[in-house]
Amino acid sequence: MTLIKKFVIYLSIVTILIISPLIMIIWHYQKELLLNQAKIQAETLFKMIVITRQWVAENRGRVEPVPAVATKEISEYAKKMANFKFHITSDILVNPENAPDEFEKKALKYFKEGEKEFSEIIEYPNAGTVFRYMAPLHINESCMSCHYYQGYKIGDIRGGISVFIPINSLKDTILLNNKMFYMFGFITFTSIILTVTILVNNLVLRHIKTLADASNEVIKNNYNVKTEIKTGDEIESLSMAFDKMVNTIARNEDLLKAKLKEAISNYVATYEELKNKNEKLLSLNKMKTDIIDTMAHDFRTPMTKILSYSEMLKDPKFMSDPLVIERAISVIYNNINIMKNSLDQILILSKLEYSDIALEFEEISLRDFVIYIVSLFDKEIDDKRLNLTIDIDDNLTVKADRNILNSLIKNLISNAIKYSKIDGEIIISARSNTEEVIFEVYDSGIGIKSDELDKIFNRFFRGSNVKNSFQGTGLGMSIIYQATRRLGWDIRVESEEGVYTKVTLFIPID
């Protein structure tokens, strides 16, 4: 239910509660007024009759009927000519027609008890509502001439005169007045309700609706709403307090959002830091495991040979044979180098796979760098009588980390030399376009089987055509792949078994 409806209902109830007793008082007052007016009429009529009787009694020489007869005749005229009537009666009858009715008997009884008058309102089927009034007739000196023989004394009650006053017309007048009063009261009440309702709506409810609408906007997180009610009273103070409250809520929400954002950022940063540290720990743990597994894999054969020849050197029967001693020392030395190279390869690969050390990129002359790496393999190239060609422009440079580039180029050239045939050919070339440098290492070696090309970057993988013919760890191509990945380069391998192998690096210029 709306506030205006509640206000109208409550105001109506209060008004009715206040007016109802007033109406009852007014109704009672009107009833008393009606009775008083009827009584005044009856008393006046009674006095007029008594005066008339007194005049007749004192003028017997001029008026023929006695007072009782005169009163009776006037009563008959009243029945015909007026809307009231009266009746003379007594409990000591001379004329039976003057016998008292029930009302008159009751009145005569009260008179004997000392009452001065008696009245009642009585409903008659034909006459309607009638005000009955009766007062006693006392014996005076003029009455003694007619009633001396009945034993009366002056001052005794001879009887009484009852007056009939119809009050229907008075009631109708009062009812009409009441209707007018009620109609005027209803119009006044309605006008007051409407006036008060309009005033309350304009002075209070309209502004309350403004505040309610503003509150709904605040619920929708719209803190730009302003009530700006200018009434110069408590409503304006409430409006100002509301606007101030909204501004405070907006500031607090912004502050809360900022703090929440900061807390979330700190949480995310802490989470990322812990995540990175955890990943780093997992990576280091995996690197440790891989290193141990790789060392166990690669060191088994060399260690076995070293132990075997070491035992041989301890045997007295071989101690005097220089050839055996020389052979044993050579085998031990070579296997120690093999273990050293394997360990170097393992450490390089582990750093490439797991290390998060920042790279230091620099401009490197590709031709000079390749020439330096090739010079490290002069003996191997000469032993195989290889025809090695370097086709790289002197001004061609690449941006790379020197250490990673060293591992990458060294393994590419080492593989090309190792798997080349005697009198074979190796071509190291590079060319550039607007987007990239294309670096190629070609060898006319034993090649790679086509069904094994997709496995060559796996750790420890060695082609089936080289396992029994060439010594190695199976880590070279893994190092090459991880090095290109760290540098952000692409790699492609092409090969035909028994014919050639070509490894191509695609190096972005930017």
Side-chain angles (χ1 to χ4, degrees):
M1 185 182 294
T2 61
L3 187 58
I4 189 66
K5 289 182 180 178
K6 290 182 179 179
F7 180 80
V8 171
I9 291 173
Y10 294 153
L11 183 60
S12 300
I13 292 173
V14 171
T15 304
I16 291 172
L17 291 175
I18 294 173
I19 291 178
S20 295
L22 295 177
I23 293 176
M24 295 297 295
I25 293 172
I26 293 172
W27 180 82
H28 180 73
Y29 173 76
Q30 288 182 335
K31 183 178 179 181
E32 291 294 326
L33 182 64
L34 173 64
L35 292 176
N36 287 335
Q37 187 173 358
K39 184 177 179 181
I40 290 171
Q41 291 182 8
E43 288 176 343
T44 302
L45 182 59
F46 174 81
K47 289 178 181 178
M48 290 298 296
I49 296 171
V50 171
I51 291 170
T52 302
R53 283 171 56 85
Q54 186 66 30
W55 179 82
V56 172
E58 293 178 357
N59 292 277
R60 293 291 302 275
R62 294 186 294 168
V63 179
E64 184 177 346
V66 295
V69 175
T71 302
K72 178 68 175 175
E73 290 179 358
I74 293 173
S75 172
E76 294 299 324
Y77 276 97
K79 290 179 182 179
K80 299 176 183 179
M81 301 179 65
N83 63 344
F84 62 87
K85 61 182 179 177
F86 58 89
H87 181 239
I88 186 171
T89 185
S90 176
D91 53 358
I92 301 176
L93 293 175
V94 176
N95 185 353
E97 291 182 359
N98 294 335
D101 58 17
E102 292 299 323
F103 169 79
E104 292 166 339
K105 289 178 181 179
K106 189 188 300 184
L108 290 171
K109 180 181 177 183
Y110 283 139
F111 295 157
K112 291 179 180 180
E113 293 174 357
E115 294 292 335
K116 302 297 182 181
E117 60 184 7
F118 181 72
S119 62
E120 280 185 350
I121 295 177
I122 302 175
E123 292 286 342
Y124 291 99
N126 296 326
T129 305
V130 176
F131 179 78
R132 294 289 304 273
Y133 175 85
M134 186 171 177
L137 290 174
H138 294 276
I139 297 295
N140 56 26
E141 188 176 351
S142 61
C143 298
M144 291 301 292
S145 61
C146 296
H147 299 287
Y148 66 92
Y149 65 95
Q150 292 176 314
Y152 288 110
K153 299 187 295 291
I154 295 175
D156 290 342
I157 296 175
R158 171 67 184 89
I161 297 176
S162 66
V163 180
F164 295 72
I165 304 294
I167 59 174
N168 285 333
S169 59
L170 292 175
K171 287 177 64 177
D172 292 341
T173 302
I174 291 175
L175 287 175
L176 179 61
N177 289 336
N178 287 341
K179 288 181 180 178
M180 296 299 294
F181 171 76
Y182 295 146
M183 185 178 296
F184 175 77
F186 176 77
I187 294 173
T188 302
F189 170 74
T190 304
S191 301
I192 291 173
I193 292 292
L194 289 176
T195 302
V196 172
T197 300
I198 293 171
L199 289 174
V200 170
N201 183 67
N202 290 334
L203 297 177
V204 179
L205 299 182
R206 179 167 60 91
H207 303 308
I208 290 178
K209 185 178 184 303
T210 300
L211 291 170
D213 294 339
S215 299
N216 290 330
E217 290 298 318
V218 173
I219 292 173
K220 298 175 184 177
N221 296 324
N222 178 15
Y223 299 114
N224 296 321
V225 62
K226 299 290 183 184
T227 55
E228 297 181 346
I229 298 173
K230 304 296 181 182
T231 58
D233 53 20
E234 290 83 352
I235 298 294
E236 182 176 345
S237 299
L238 179 61
S239 171
M240 294 173 62
F242 178 85
D243 292 341
K244 185 177 180 180
M245 178 191 68
V246 172
N247 292 332
T248 302
I249 291 173
R251 287 197 303 271
N252 290 339
E253 184 177 35
D254 292 340
L255 180 61
L256 180 62
K257 286 181 178 178
K259 290 185 176 180
L260 183 61
K261 184 177 180 181
E262 181 182 358
I264 292 174
S265 299
N266 292 336
Y267 169 78
V268 172
T270 304
Y271 172 78
E272 290 296 329
E273 182 180 358
L274 291 174
K275 181 181 177 183
N276 293 334
K277 288 182 178 180
N278 186 58
E279 289 177 352
K280 185 176 181 180
L281 288 173
L282 291 174
S283 176
L284 291 173
N285 186 62
K286 190 174 187 303
M287 180 180 72
K288 178 194 71 174
T289 303
D290 290 344
I291 290 174
I292 293 172
D293 291 344
T294 303
M295 289 175 65
H297 178 274
D298 284 1
F299 287 6
R300 184 178 296 110
T301 300
M303 287 295 293
T304 300
K305 290 182 179 180
I306 291 172
L307 287 173
S308 297
Y309 279 93
S310 296
E311 292 292 332
M312 184 183 294
L313 290 175
K314 291 170 60 178
D315 194 337
K317 67 180 179 180
F318 295 114
M319 293 293 292
S320 58
D321 190 343
L323 294 177
V324 172
I325 293 173
E326 182 180 356
R327 172 65 179 168
I329 292 173
S330 177
V331 170
I332 292 171
Y333 178 79
N334 289 336
N335 279 278
I336 288 175
N337 280 331
I338 290 173
M339 291 174 64
K340 177 181 178 300
N341 292 334
S342 295
L343 183 59
D344 290 342
Q345 294 280 66
I346 291 169
L347 293 175
I348 291 171
L349 182 60
S350 297
K351 285 183 179 180
L352 290 173
E353 287 183 337
Y354 303 110
S355 177
D356 58 354
I357 298 174
L359 303 181
E360 297 181 1
F361 284 88
E362 58 180 294
E363 290 289 343
I364 299 174
S365 172
L366 191 57
R367 180 179 175 82
D368 292 344
F369 198 85
V370 170
I371 290 174
Y372 165 73
I373 299 297
V374 169
S375 68
L376 301 177
F377 296 94
D378 284 345
K379 183 179 183 306
E380 289 81 354
I381 294 171
D382 291 340
D383 289 345
K384 283 192 171 184
R385 302 188 299 276
L386 298 175
N387 181 21
L388 191 146
T389 303
I390 298 175
D391 183 16
I392 302 175
D393 190 271
D394 291 338
N395 298 323
L396 187 60
T397 61
V398 295
K399 186 174 289 188
D401 181 275
R402 187 174 291 275
N403 292 328
I404 294 179
L405 184 62
N406 181 75
S407 299
L408 175 58
I409 301 298
K410 185 182 288 186
N411 275 278
L412 282 174
I413 295 175
S414 174
N415 282 347
I417 294 171
K418 181 189 295 185
Y419 300 117
S420 288
K421 302 171 185 176
I422 302 296
D423 297 323
E425 182 179 22
I426 295 176
I427 301 174
I428 304 173
S429 63
R431 63 186 185 278
S432 64
N433 54 38
T434 56
E435 297 181 355
E436 58 190 0
V437 173
I438 301 173
F439 179 78
E440 295 179 343
V441 177
Y442 170 89
D443 70 80
S444 58
I446 62 175
I448 304 169
K449 290 183 177 182
S450 59
D451 59 347
E452 295 178 343
L453 275 174
D454 59 344
K455 303 175 185 176
I456 59 174
F457 295 132
N458 295 342
R459 184 183 290 213
F460 306 126
F461 177 79
R462 303 194 71 208
S464 57
N465 58 343
V466 301
K467 283 183 179 179
N468 299 322
S469 305
F470 299 89
Q471 192 177 43
T473 62
L475 297 176
M477 291 304 293
S478 294
I479 292 174
I480 291 170
Y481 174 76
Q482 292 297 334
T484 57
R485 182 186 65 83
R486 289 297 302 271
L487 293 171
W489 300 352
D490 291 329
I491 183 171
R492 183 177 67 197
V493 179
E494 304 171 56
S495 184
E496 183 178 345
E497 186 180 7
V499 180
Y500 78 97
T501 297
K502 183 170 70 173
V503 179
T504 305
L505 303 179
F506 300 91
I507 306 169
I509 290 178
D510 187 5

